[in-house]
Amino acid sequence: MNSLPTHLSDAVVQARTVLAQAEHVACLTGAGISAESGIPTFRDCQTGLWAHFDPEDLASAAGFRRNPPRVWQWYRDRWKNMQETAPNAGHRALVELAGWLPRFDIITQNVDDLHEKAGHDTVWHLHGELGRFRCLDCRRPYAPAPVELTQDTPPPCPRCQGLIRPDVVWFGEMLDPAVLERAYASSRACDVMLVVGTSGMVWPASDLPCAAQAHGACLIEVNPQSTLLSAGADICLPASAGQVLPLLCSQADDTAGPDRNIGPRISGDA
Ligand code: NAD
Ligand code: ZN
Protein backbone atom coordinates (compact mmCIF):
# COMPACT_ATOMS: atom_id res chain seq x y z
CA MET A 1 0.00 0.00 0.00
CA ASN A 2 2.99 2.29 0.51
CA SER A 3 3.39 2.63 -3.26
CA LEU A 4 -0.16 3.96 -3.73
CA PRO A 5 -0.80 7.65 -4.29
CA THR A 6 -1.87 9.31 -1.00
CA HIS A 7 -5.46 9.98 -2.06
CA LEU A 8 -5.91 6.28 -2.90
CA SER A 9 -4.25 4.89 0.20
CA ASP A 10 -6.32 7.26 2.39
CA ALA A 11 -9.48 6.02 0.67
CA VAL A 12 -8.40 2.39 1.14
CA VAL A 13 -7.94 3.00 4.87
CA GLN A 14 -11.38 4.62 5.06
CA ALA A 15 -13.00 1.75 3.16
CA ARG A 16 -11.35 -0.86 5.36
CA THR A 17 -12.55 0.93 8.49
CA VAL A 18 -16.12 1.01 7.17
CA LEU A 19 -15.99 -2.65 6.12
CA ALA A 20 -14.55 -3.71 9.47
CA GLN A 21 -17.68 -2.36 11.16
CA ALA A 22 -20.19 -3.62 8.60
CA GLU A 23 -22.76 -6.29 9.33
CA HIS A 24 -24.21 -6.60 5.85
CA VAL A 25 -22.44 -5.69 2.61
CA ALA A 26 -24.20 -5.74 -0.74
CA CYS A 27 -21.74 -5.84 -3.63
CA LEU A 28 -22.86 -4.80 -7.12
CA THR A 29 -20.46 -5.76 -9.89
CA GLY A 30 -20.29 -4.95 -13.59
CA ALA A 31 -18.21 -5.79 -16.63
CA GLY A 32 -15.18 -3.99 -15.15
CA ILE A 33 -14.50 -6.69 -12.56
CA SER A 34 -14.06 -9.25 -15.34
CA ALA A 35 -11.91 -7.01 -17.54
CA GLU A 36 -8.67 -8.15 -15.87
CA SER A 37 -9.65 -11.76 -16.58
CA GLY A 38 -9.71 -10.87 -20.27
CA ILE A 39 -13.49 -10.71 -20.74
CA PRO A 40 -14.18 -7.59 -22.76
CA THR A 41 -17.02 -5.17 -22.04
CA PHE A 42 -20.05 -5.35 -24.32
CA ARG A 43 -18.75 -2.84 -26.84
CA ASP A 44 -15.20 -4.21 -26.67
CA CYS A 45 -16.63 -7.62 -27.64
CA GLN A 46 -17.64 -6.18 -30.95
CA THR A 47 -14.28 -6.51 -32.60
CA GLY A 48 -13.13 -8.31 -35.71
CA LEU A 49 -15.92 -10.12 -37.50
CA TRP A 50 -18.57 -8.70 -35.23
CA ALA A 51 -17.56 -5.06 -35.39
CA HIS A 52 -20.12 -3.98 -37.97
CA PHE A 53 -23.20 -5.30 -36.14
CA ASP A 54 -25.51 -3.11 -34.16
CA PRO A 55 -25.78 -4.30 -30.50
CA GLU A 56 -29.52 -4.80 -31.06
CA ASP A 57 -28.77 -7.23 -33.90
CA LEU A 58 -26.82 -9.38 -31.45
CA ALA A 59 -28.74 -8.89 -28.23
CA SER A 60 -32.46 -8.72 -28.87
CA ALA A 61 -35.21 -11.26 -29.54
CA ALA A 62 -35.98 -9.49 -32.84
CA GLY A 63 -32.32 -9.74 -33.90
CA PHE A 64 -32.29 -13.44 -32.97
CA ARG A 65 -35.46 -14.14 -34.99
CA ARG A 66 -34.00 -12.23 -37.96
CA ASN A 67 -30.79 -14.24 -37.97
CA PRO A 68 -30.64 -17.12 -35.43
CA PRO A 69 -27.23 -18.51 -36.52
CA ARG A 70 -25.53 -15.11 -36.25
CA VAL A 71 -26.74 -14.50 -32.69
CA TRP A 72 -26.20 -18.14 -31.65
CA GLN A 73 -22.61 -18.04 -32.91
CA TRP A 74 -21.86 -14.76 -31.16
CA TYR A 75 -23.05 -16.09 -27.79
CA ARG A 76 -21.45 -19.50 -28.44
CA ASP A 77 -18.11 -17.77 -28.92
CA ARG A 78 -18.55 -15.71 -25.74
CA TRP A 79 -19.54 -18.88 -23.87
CA LYS A 80 -16.46 -20.68 -25.21
CA ASN A 81 -14.23 -17.77 -24.21
CA MET A 82 -15.74 -17.89 -20.72
CA GLN A 83 -14.81 -21.59 -20.37
CA GLU A 84 -11.17 -20.63 -20.86
CA THR A 85 -11.28 -17.71 -18.43
CA ALA A 86 -10.27 -17.67 -14.77
CA PRO A 87 -11.31 -15.31 -11.99
CA ASN A 88 -8.82 -12.56 -11.13
CA ALA A 89 -7.52 -11.11 -7.86
CA GLY A 90 -10.61 -8.88 -7.61
CA HIS A 91 -13.05 -11.81 -7.71
CA ARG A 92 -10.93 -13.71 -5.21
CA ALA A 93 -10.72 -10.76 -2.82
CA LEU A 94 -14.52 -10.54 -2.73
CA VAL A 95 -14.66 -14.19 -1.64
CA GLU A 96 -12.20 -13.42 1.14
CA LEU A 97 -14.20 -10.39 2.27
CA ALA A 98 -17.38 -12.45 2.25
CA GLY A 99 -15.70 -14.86 4.65
CA TRP A 100 -15.19 -12.10 7.21
CA LEU A 101 -18.56 -10.47 7.11
CA PRO A 102 -21.75 -11.65 8.77
CA ARG A 103 -23.55 -11.17 5.46
CA PHE A 104 -22.20 -10.45 1.99
CA ASP A 105 -24.45 -10.55 -1.09
CA ILE A 106 -23.09 -10.55 -4.64
CA ILE A 107 -25.37 -8.91 -7.17
CA THR A 108 -23.89 -8.88 -10.67
CA GLN A 109 -24.77 -7.48 -14.05
CA ASN A 110 -22.30 -9.92 -15.55
CA VAL A 111 -23.40 -12.95 -17.49
CA ASP A 112 -20.09 -14.75 -16.91
CA ASP A 113 -19.48 -17.25 -14.11
CA LEU A 114 -16.29 -15.81 -12.63
CA HIS A 115 -17.77 -15.04 -9.19
CA GLU A 116 -18.87 -18.67 -8.95
CA LYS A 117 -15.50 -19.93 -10.20
CA ALA A 118 -13.82 -17.79 -7.52
CA GLY A 119 -15.90 -19.51 -4.82
CA HIS A 120 -19.22 -17.71 -4.28
CA ASP A 121 -21.99 -20.26 -4.15
CA THR A 122 -24.87 -17.79 -4.46
CA VAL A 123 -24.67 -15.02 -7.03
CA TRP A 124 -27.68 -12.99 -8.14
CA HIS A 125 -27.33 -12.50 -11.89
CA LEU A 126 -29.49 -9.53 -12.81
CA HIS A 127 -28.91 -10.01 -16.54
CA GLY A 128 -28.91 -13.81 -16.72
CA GLU A 129 -26.07 -16.21 -17.44
CA LEU A 130 -24.17 -17.17 -20.61
CA GLY A 131 -24.11 -20.79 -19.46
CA ARG A 132 -27.89 -21.09 -19.09
CA PHE A 133 -30.28 -21.67 -22.01
CA ARG A 134 -34.02 -21.66 -22.61
CA CYS A 135 -36.57 -21.79 -25.40
CA LEU A 136 -37.33 -18.46 -27.06
CA ASP A 137 -41.00 -19.40 -27.40
CA CYS A 138 -42.13 -21.62 -24.50
CA ARG A 139 -39.34 -20.33 -22.15
CA ARG A 140 -38.61 -23.81 -20.78
CA PRO A 141 -35.01 -24.24 -19.61
CA TYR A 142 -32.82 -26.38 -21.84
CA ALA A 143 -29.41 -27.95 -21.29
CA PRO A 144 -27.67 -28.25 -24.67
CA ALA A 145 -25.60 -31.37 -25.31
CA PRO A 146 -21.87 -30.55 -25.60
CA VAL A 147 -22.01 -31.14 -29.37
CA GLU A 148 -24.88 -28.65 -29.73
CA LEU A 149 -22.69 -25.98 -28.17
CA THR A 150 -20.19 -26.37 -30.98
CA GLN A 151 -22.74 -26.08 -33.80
CA ASP A 152 -23.44 -23.01 -35.91
CA THR A 153 -27.21 -23.01 -35.42
CA PRO A 154 -29.32 -23.10 -32.26
CA PRO A 155 -30.86 -26.47 -31.38
CA PRO A 156 -34.66 -26.79 -31.55
CA CYS A 157 -36.73 -26.96 -28.38
CA PRO A 158 -37.78 -30.60 -27.84
CA ARG A 159 -41.22 -29.43 -26.60
CA CYS A 160 -42.32 -26.82 -29.15
CA GLN A 161 -39.59 -26.77 -31.82
CA GLY A 162 -38.89 -23.13 -30.93
CA LEU A 163 -35.32 -21.81 -30.99
CA ILE A 164 -33.04 -22.37 -28.01
CA ARG A 165 -31.41 -19.11 -26.88
CA PRO A 166 -29.00 -18.05 -24.14
CA ASP A 167 -30.86 -17.15 -20.95
CA VAL A 168 -29.54 -13.59 -20.78
CA VAL A 169 -31.55 -10.38 -20.64
CA TRP A 170 -31.67 -8.77 -24.07
CA PHE A 171 -32.62 -5.23 -25.07
CA GLY A 172 -36.32 -4.65 -24.46
CA GLU A 173 -36.64 -7.56 -21.99
CA MET A 174 -37.56 -7.50 -18.31
CA LEU A 175 -35.20 -8.65 -15.61
CA ASP A 176 -36.30 -11.68 -13.59
CA PRO A 177 -38.58 -10.03 -11.00
CA ALA A 178 -37.56 -12.46 -8.23
CA VAL A 179 -33.85 -11.72 -8.71
CA LEU A 180 -34.49 -7.98 -8.92
CA GLU A 181 -36.60 -8.04 -5.76
CA ARG A 182 -33.84 -9.85 -3.86
CA ALA A 183 -31.30 -7.34 -5.14
CA TYR A 184 -33.47 -4.43 -3.97
CA ALA A 185 -34.13 -6.09 -0.61
CA SER A 186 -30.40 -6.57 -0.08
CA SER A 187 -29.65 -3.00 -1.19
CA ARG A 188 -32.22 -1.53 1.18
CA ALA A 189 -31.03 -3.62 4.12
CA CYS A 190 -27.23 -3.42 3.76
CA ASP A 191 -25.06 -1.02 5.71
CA VAL A 192 -22.37 -0.89 3.00
CA MET A 193 -22.87 -1.03 -0.78
CA LEU A 194 -19.65 -1.87 -2.62
CA VAL A 195 -19.95 -1.08 -6.35
CA VAL A 196 -17.22 -2.53 -8.57
CA GLY A 197 -16.58 -2.01 -12.27
CA THR A 198 -19.88 -0.65 -13.47
CA SER A 199 -20.51 2.52 -15.45
CA GLY A 200 -23.89 2.91 -13.75
CA MET A 201 -25.51 3.45 -17.13
CA VAL A 202 -27.74 0.39 -17.24
CA TRP A 203 -31.05 0.66 -15.40
CA PRO A 204 -32.38 -0.75 -13.06
CA ALA A 205 -29.00 -2.02 -11.76
CA SER A 206 -27.86 1.60 -11.58
CA ASP A 207 -30.70 2.35 -9.15
CA LEU A 208 -29.53 -0.17 -6.52
CA PRO A 209 -26.70 2.01 -5.11
CA CYS A 210 -29.18 4.89 -4.80
CA ALA A 211 -31.65 2.62 -3.00
CA ALA A 212 -28.87 1.57 -0.62
CA GLN A 213 -27.83 5.14 0.13
CA ALA A 214 -31.44 6.22 0.58
CA HIS A 215 -31.65 3.60 3.35
CA GLY A 216 -28.50 4.84 5.05
CA ALA A 217 -25.79 2.64 3.53
CA CYS A 218 -22.26 3.87 2.89
CA LEU A 219 -21.49 3.71 -0.84
CA ILE A 220 -17.96 2.61 -1.83
CA GLU A 221 -17.07 2.67 -5.53
CA VAL A 222 -14.16 0.82 -7.19
CA ASN A 223 -13.54 2.04 -10.73
CA PRO A 224 -10.46 3.51 -12.43
CA GLN A 225 -12.76 5.93 -14.29
CA SER A 226 -15.22 8.43 -12.92
CA THR A 227 -18.82 7.27 -13.47
CA LEU A 228 -22.38 8.47 -12.99
CA LEU A 229 -22.18 7.08 -9.44
CA SER A 230 -18.86 8.68 -8.44
CA ALA A 231 -20.12 12.12 -7.41
CA GLY A 232 -22.59 10.61 -4.94
CA ALA A 233 -20.27 7.91 -3.57
CA ASP A 234 -19.07 8.21 0.04
CA ILE A 235 -15.70 6.64 -0.80
CA CYS A 236 -14.17 6.39 -4.29
CA LEU A 237 -11.33 3.98 -4.97
CA PRO A 238 -10.08 5.06 -8.40
CA ALA A 239 -8.13 1.93 -9.33
CA SER A 240 -8.68 -1.42 -10.98
CA ALA A 241 -10.59 -4.10 -9.09
CA GLY A 242 -7.64 -6.49 -9.19
CA GLN A 243 -5.38 -3.88 -7.64
CA VAL A 244 -7.58 -2.40 -4.96
CA LEU A 245 -9.95 -5.15 -3.77
CA PRO A 246 -7.12 -7.30 -2.33
CA LEU A 247 -6.05 -4.24 -0.30
CA LEU A 248 -9.49 -4.13 1.33
CA CYS A 249 -8.94 -7.50 2.89
CA SER A 250 -5.17 -7.72 3.14
CA GLN A 251 -4.13 -8.75 6.64
CA ALA A 252 -0.49 -8.20 5.73
CA ASP A 253 -0.88 -4.46 5.69
CA ASP A 254 -2.67 -3.86 8.95
CA THR A 255 -3.50 -0.17 8.63
CA ALA A 256 -7.17 -0.75 9.29
CA GLY A 257 -8.06 -4.14 7.85
CA PRO A 258 -11.06 -6.06 9.04
CA ASP A 259 -10.01 -7.86 12.21
CA ARG A 260 -12.85 -10.31 12.26
CA ASN A 261 -12.41 -14.01 12.44
CA ILE A 262 -15.88 -15.39 12.12
CA GLY A 263 -15.36 -17.99 9.41
CA PRO A 264 -16.68 -18.01 5.88
CA ARG A 265 -20.29 -17.14 5.22
CA ILE A 266 -20.98 -16.44 1.60
CA SER A 267 -24.11 -14.76 0.20
CA GLY A 268 -27.12 -15.41 2.38
CA ASP A 269 -30.74 -15.12 1.23
CA ALA A 270 -32.65 -11.85 1.20
P1 NAD B 1 -19.86 -1.05 -18.70
O1 NAD B 1 -19.11 -1.65 -19.87
O2 NAD B 1 -20.92 -0.06 -18.98
O3 NAD B 1 -18.83 -0.38 -17.70
C1 NAD B 1 -17.68 -1.05 -17.27
C2 NAD B 1 -17.05 -0.19 -16.19
O4 NAD B 1 -15.95 -0.91 -15.67
C3 NAD B 1 -16.52 1.14 -16.70
O5 NAD B 1 -17.00 2.18 -15.85
C4 NAD B 1 -15.00 1.01 -16.57
O6 NAD B 1 -14.36 2.22 -16.20
C5 NAD B 1 -14.89 -0.02 -15.46
N1 NAD B 1 -13.67 -0.81 -15.48
C6 NAD B 1 -12.91 -1.18 -16.54
N2 NAD B 1 -11.87 -1.93 -16.14
C7 NAD B 1 -11.98 -2.03 -14.78
C8 NAD B 1 -11.21 -2.71 -13.80
N3 NAD B 1 -10.11 -3.41 -14.12
N4 NAD B 1 -11.61 -2.63 -12.49
C9 NAD B 1 -12.72 -1.92 -12.16
N5 NAD B 1 -13.48 -1.25 -13.05
C10 NAD B 1 -13.12 -1.33 -14.36
O7 NAD B 1 -20.39 -2.32 -17.89
P2 NAD B 1 -21.66 -2.49 -16.97
O8 NAD B 1 -21.82 -1.28 -16.11
O9 NAD B 1 -21.52 -3.83 -16.35
O10 NAD B 1 -22.92 -2.51 -17.98
C11 NAD B 1 -22.85 -3.00 -19.29
C12 NAD B 1 -23.71 -4.24 -19.62
O11 NAD B 1 -22.87 -5.16 -20.31
C13 NAD B 1 -24.29 -5.02 -18.49
O12 NAD B 1 -25.63 -5.18 -18.79
C14 NAD B 1 -23.63 -6.40 -18.54
O13 NAD B 1 -24.61 -7.42 -18.42
C15 NAD B 1 -23.05 -6.51 -19.90
N6 NAD B 1 -21.73 -7.18 -20.01
C16 NAD B 1 -21.35 -8.21 -19.20
C17 NAD B 1 -20.09 -8.79 -19.34
C18 NAD B 1 -19.67 -9.95 -18.47
O14 NAD B 1 -20.49 -10.76 -18.11
N7 NAD B 1 -18.40 -10.05 -18.11
C19 NAD B 1 -19.19 -8.32 -20.28
C20 NAD B 1 -19.61 -7.29 -21.09
C21 NAD B 1 -20.88 -6.73 -20.94
ZN1 ZN C 1 -40.11 -24.49 -26.49
Side-chain angles (χ1 to χ4, degrees):
M1 202 149 102
N2 293 339
S3 58
L4 296 181
T6 314
H7 71 283
L8 183 53
S9 63
D10 287 352
V12 167
V13 170
Q14 261 186 299
R16 289 172 62 163
T17 305
V18 167
L19 288 167
Q21 291 157 5
E23 292 294 324
H24 176 183
V25 173
C27 178
L28 173 67
T29 65
I33 194 166
S34 297
E36 288 161 278
S37 291
I39 296 192
T41 62
F42 188 72
R43 282 174 201 282
D44 293 342
C45 293
Q46 292 188 273
T47 53
L49 273 181
W50 304 108
H52 56 285
F53 293 114
D54 190 82
E56 302 229 13
D57 280 335
L58 298 172
S60 73
F64 186 46
R65 287 194 196 278
R66 271 197 303 275
N67 192 335
R70 179 168 70 199
V71 174
W72 176 258
Q73 286 166 36
W74 191 61
Y75 279 94
R76 181 201 60 190
D77 292 353
R78 286 180 70 190
W79 175 84
K80 226 159 63 189
N81 180 38
M82 184 179 86
Q83 303 305 301
E84 291 152 13
T85 305
N88 62 56
H91 295 102
R92 289 193 297 273
L94 292 182
V95 175
E96 196 176 336
L97 262 184
W100 284 331
L101 288 153
R103 178 163 170 184
F104 191 93
D105 298 328
I106 290 273
I107 305 162
T108 189
Q109 295 166 86
N110 295 344
V111 293
D112 66 51
D113 61 357
L114 295 182
H115 286 303
E116 287 91 340
K117 276 185 186 157
H120 286 281
D121 52 10
T122 305
V123 179
W124 300 337
H125 285 271
L126 293 171
H127 297 159
E129 296 176 57
L130 276 182
R132 225 171 47 199
F133 299 83
R134 67 172 171 87
C135 175
L136 177 66
D137 294 322
C138 73
R139 304 182 65 89
R140 281 194 180 84
Y142 182 76
V147 65
E148 289 175 322
L149 286 166
T150 65
Q151 283 164 358
D152 287 343
T153 53
C157 170
R159 300 285 189 111
C160 77
Q161 300 304 305
L163 297 167
I164 296 300
R165 56 165 282 181
D167 194 2
V168 299
V169 178
W170 280 338
F171 291 111
E173 295 180 334
M174 305 282 291
L175 278 64
D176 179 333
V179 174
L180 188 59
E181 185 38 49
R182 286 181 154 211
Y184 264 111
S186 174
S187 303
R188 292 190 199 105
C190 68
D191 38 45
V192 177
M193 161 74 72
L194 180 59
V195 181
V196 184
T198 177
S199 60
M201 289 171 72
V202 179
W203 187 87
S206 57
D207 187 43
L208 296 172
C210 309
Q213 269 189 317
H215 284 78
C218 173
L219 180 60
I220 304 176
E221 184 187 53
V222 174
N223 198 313
Q225 308 289 329
S226 181
T227 73
L228 295 172
L229 299 169
S230 305
D234 298 294
I235 302 172
C236 283
L237 298 167
S240 80
Q243 180 191 13
V244 86
L245 289 176
L247 297 177
L248 298 185
C249 48
S250 161
Q251 297 284 14
D253 185 337
D254 61 0
T255 335
D259 55 0
R260 302 167 192 267
N261 186 16
I262 55 173
R265 286 195 214 162
I266 300 173
S267 295
D269 285 339

